[in-house]
């Protein structure tokens, strides 16, 4: 199934509606609210002065370093440009924070998904929601759904692969701790053990140095990498992880955080009022002509 802006957000909105209905306060007469009213009711209980924040009056948001397009722009999360930067500020706004009340900190991807105390209120960094990760951290309602993509060079013998089976003999690479790496190991199952990298930059370098035949990343990142980072790079195709119909990204919080319900309510409200779709259309604007690999 090919991913599109409308298709991805339809899935998100449906799940957001279910999550909101499950956690929102019930009406006294027993009638259920529509999605927008439920989200608003939940947010009404989330006043800035009452939120369990790392620092009073300030929303501390984390992401990785460097911060890549199209998720962020100019490696500056605080400028509000790029999909995830814009989403973070939209969540902050729903929770009652002005832009100047948001502080950004850096946090490595692999470190953040481990259990333990966090130096932020939430982290936004293309974290795929999974049952295994939920054992160590909390996730908000999903704000985006994405497919995985295979990236290689124009000179690669694997550039014309039509199926995942045709990639079994390829030497593949992916970032540590990601759904991309899990998809390589569980779906492609290459004959040579996949190479694992600390971040996308190192994976790209390995591809350019021909240490790997291809790397795997989410589709929006693949568009950016082949357009701006990889000389002679091409997207072989896309595929959906077997763990669900679509890979969904959520804001990450410390396990058991009392802030999680309010952050989820904010994301739900952004799905309900169309903001998430508007931001996706503005910052991701994905083409839909990438073939699906079976």
């Amino acid at each position: 199934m090919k991913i599109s802006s409308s298709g991805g957000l339809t899935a998100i909105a449906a799940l957001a509606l279910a999550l909101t209905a499950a956690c929102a306060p019930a009406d006294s007469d027993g009638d259920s609210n529509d999605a927008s009213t439920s989200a608003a009711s939940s947010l009404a209980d989330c006043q800035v002065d009452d939120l369990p924040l790392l620092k009073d009056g300030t929303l501390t948001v984390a992401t990785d370093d460097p911060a890549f397009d199209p998720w962020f722009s100019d490696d500056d999360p605080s400028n509000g440009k790029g999909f995830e930067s814009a989403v973070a500020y939209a969540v902050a706004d729903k929770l009652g924070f002005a832009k100047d009340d948001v502080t950004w900190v850096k946090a490595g991807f692999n470190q953040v998904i481990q259990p333990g105390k966090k130096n932020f209120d939430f982290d936004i960094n293309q974290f795929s929601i999974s049952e295994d990760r939920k054992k160590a951290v909390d996730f908000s309602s999903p704000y985006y759904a994405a497919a995985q993509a295979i990236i290689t060079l124009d000179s690669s013998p694997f550039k014309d692969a039509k199926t995942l089976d045709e990639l079994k003999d390829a030497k593949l690479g992916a970032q540590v701790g990601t759904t991309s790496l899990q998809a390589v190991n569980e779906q492609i199952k290459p004959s040579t053990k996949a190479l694992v990298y600390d971040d996308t930059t190192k994976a790209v370098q390995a591809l350019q140095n021909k240490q790997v035949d291809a790397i795997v990343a989410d589709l929006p990142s693949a568009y950016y990498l082949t357009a701006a980072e990889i000389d002679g790079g091409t997207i072989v195709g896309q595929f959906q992880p077997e763990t669900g119909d679509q890979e969904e990204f959520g804001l990450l919080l410390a396990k058991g955080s009392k802030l999680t319900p309010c952050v989820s309510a904010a994301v739900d409200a952004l799905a309900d009022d169309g903001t998430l779709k508007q931001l996706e259309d503005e910052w991701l604007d994905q083409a839909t002509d990438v073939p699906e690999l079976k």
Side-chain angles (χ1 to χ4, degrees):
M1 181 176 67
K2 292 183 178 180
I3 188 170
S4 65
S5 294
S6 57
L9 265 295
T10 298
I12 291 176
L15 183 54
L17 174 59
L19 290 173
T20 302
C23 64
D27 290 343
S28 58
D29 61 3
D31 292 337
S32 59
N33 293 331
D34 61 26
S36 298
T37 304
S38 297
S41 297
S42 297
L43 283 173
D45 298 327
C46 300
Q47 301 300 314
V48 171
D49 291 342
D50 298 326
L51 294 177
L53 301 170
L54 185 70
K55 181 180 179 182
D56 289 345
T58 298
L59 186 65
T60 305
V61 184
T63 196
D64 211 341
D65 182 21
F68 287 107
D69 286 282
W71 310 105
F72 301 92
S73 181
D74 299 324
D75 193 21
D76 179 10
S78 67
N79 63 17
K81 299 178 181 180
F83 180 66
E84 290 193 324
S85 178
V87 167
Y89 281 112
V91 168
D93 181 68
K94 287 293 185 184
L95 291 174
F97 293 92
K99 186 174 181 180
D100 290 344
D101 294 328
V102 177
T103 297
W104 288 87
V105 297
K106 298 294 185 180
F109 186 101
N110 197 42
Q111 174 189 4
V112 168
I113 60 176
Q114 304 303 318
K117 188 176 181 180
K118 310 301 182 187
N119 67 333
F120 51 80
D121 293 310
F122 69 76
D123 192 319
I124 183 166
N125 189 23
Q126 304 118 67
F127 292 109
S128 301
I129 301 171
S130 72
E131 293 304 316
D132 186 57
R133 288 179 179 172
K134 285 181 181 179
K135 297 174 184 177
V137 295
D138 279 1
F139 288 103
S140 72
S141 301
Y143 61 88
Y144 181 67
Q148 293 296 311
I150 307 291
I151 307 166
T152 190
L153 301 176
D154 289 332
S155 58
S156 171
F158 297 98
K159 70 174 184 177
D160 295 321
K162 304 299 181 186
T163 68
L164 294 179
D165 282 344
E166 293 178 59
L167 295 164
K168 285 187 178 296
D169 292 331
K171 185 179 291 186
L172 302 174
Q175 182 178 341
V176 65
T178 61
T179 301
S180 301
L181 179 60
Q182 183 179 358
V184 170
N185 293 331
E186 295 182 1
Q187 291 177 250
I188 302 176
K189 300 178 181 178
S191 55
T192 301
K193 186 177 180 179
L195 296 180
V196 183
Y197 300 95
D198 290 337
D199 53 46
T200 304
T201 299
K202 293 179 181 177
V204 166
Q205 290 174 346
L207 178 62
Q208 291 177 319
N209 293 335
K210 298 186 178 180
Q211 295 169 324
V212 292
D213 296 310
I215 59 176
V216 182
D218 59 81
L219 186 57
S221 293
Y223 277 113
Y224 168 73
L225 292 173
T226 53
E229 294 290 324
I230 304 173
D231 187 23
T234 186
I235 302 175
V236 177
Q238 62 173 302
F239 64 100
Q240 294 294 338
E242 291 179 344
T243 53
D245 291 337
Q246 285 184 313
E247 179 185 4
E248 294 174 322
F249 296 166
L251 307 178
L252 183 148
L253 301 92
K255 182 67 178 176
S257 172
K258 294 181 180 179
L259 187 61
T260 302
C262 287
V263 173
S264 283
V267 174
D268 293 344
L270 294 172
D272 294 342
D273 66 17
T275 299
L276 289 180
K277 185 182 186 306
Q278 292 172 5
L279 295 178
E280 185 179 353
D281 290 344
E282 178 178 0
W283 295 108
L284 300 184
D285 191 27
Q286 298 171 1
T288 59
D289 58 351
V290 175
E292 183 179 8
L293 302 173
K294 298 291 188 178

